[in-house]
Amino acid sequence: MSAETAKRKERIRTTAREVEAYLQKHPEFFKHHLTLLESLKIPHPCGEAVSLITRQIQILRERDQRLQQQMAEILHVARDNEVLRERLHRLTLTLIDARGLEDALAGLKWGLHEYFQADFVAVRIANPAFDSPIADLALSGDTPLWTPALEDGEPHCLGLAPHEGGSLFGAHGGEAASCAFVPLRHAGFKGVLAIGSRDPQRYQPGMGSFFLAQMGEIVSARLAALILD
């Protein structure tokens, strides 16, 4: 390429940038130069030349389709959240109706099975330490799976190996393939709620935990009221 050719191409690029900048600053330009719209042609993805108006209509239609898809996704999420709120409300009522700790734990397990399709449920209490006729309530020190939720106070979701599920949930617990660990903290009460599923994709790291955190607050408050009073 000769030096003259290179300079000519650079001048063309400079002119194109100037035209683009001008049109961006004056979007009403074609409003006052309608005849230009009839002669302007721009490349079409299919290789044919179409008028600017036709291309603009196509762009607007594509944008409208994207917006409709985004709106449909937002509505889908909103409906799912509404269903979760209703289920959480029913679980709350179940816990409020409980007249004692054993009744509350039974209602919690039943509610998680009934409203949230949980396959396995376990509650472990770290504080206060107390003698309870209910088996397996005390949180032992050799269960590292509970540790992250206890330490940072945030729900944690992860996959489970068969032996881990068995140690968490007892009989048939080895069938649990994923689990959500929900911290329980309220007014000196401290523990963990484990919710297991046979579906390995049900509880995975990185999934949203807003409703799990809300559930933990509700369960914590009710159990604390029954244990600490």
Side-chain angles (χ1 to χ4, degrees), residues 61-145:
R61 286 175 176 170
E62 293 172 353
R63 182 181 302 171
D64 180 65
Q65 290 176 350
R66 289 195 299 270
L67 290 174
Q68 289 185 18
Q69 182 177 359
Q70 291 173 0
M71 182 59 68
E73 293 172 354
I74 291 173
L75 291 175
H76 179 72
V77 171
R79 284 192 293 267
D80 286 348
N81 287 342
E82 184 61 30
V83 170
L84 286 174
R85 277 192 290 269
E86 174 62 23
R87 292 176 179 175
L88 192 57
H89 174 69
R90 293 180 182 178
L91 179 64
T92 302
L93 294 178
T94 300
L95 292 173
I96 291 175
D97 286 340
R99 293 295 177 262
L101 177 58
E102 189 168 2
D103 192 21
L105 291 173
L108 173 62
K109 293 182 178 181
W110 177 86
L112 290 173
H113 287 301
E114 182 73 13
Y115 304 136
F116 295 91
Q117 292 75 53
D119 294 321
F120 304 94
V121 178
V123 174
R124 296 293 183 271
I125 298 174
N127 188 55
F130 67 100
D131 294 328
S132 171
I134 305 174
D136 299 328
L137 260 186
L139 179 62
S140 63
D142 58 349
T143 51
L145 290 173

Side-chain angles (χ1 to χ4, degrees), residues 197-217:
S197 173
R198 292 183 176 87
D199 181 0
Q201 302 301 319
R202 178 71 181 274
Y203 301 109
Q204 291 295 312
M207 67 176 292
S209 59
F210 175 77
F211 282 100
L212 288 174
Q214 281 195 328
M215 180 188 296
E217 293 175 358

Side-chain angles (χ1 to χ4, degrees), residues 124-130 139 150 183-192 216-217 219-229:
R124 296 293 183 271
I125 298 174
N127 188 55
F130 67 100
L139 179 62
L150 280 172
L184 304 177
R185 293 183 176 184
H186 185 83
F189 173 80
K190 186 177 181 180
V192 180
E217 293 175 358
V219 174
S220 300
R222 186 57 182 141
L223 294 185
L226 293 170
I227 293 173
L228 300 178
D229 286 351

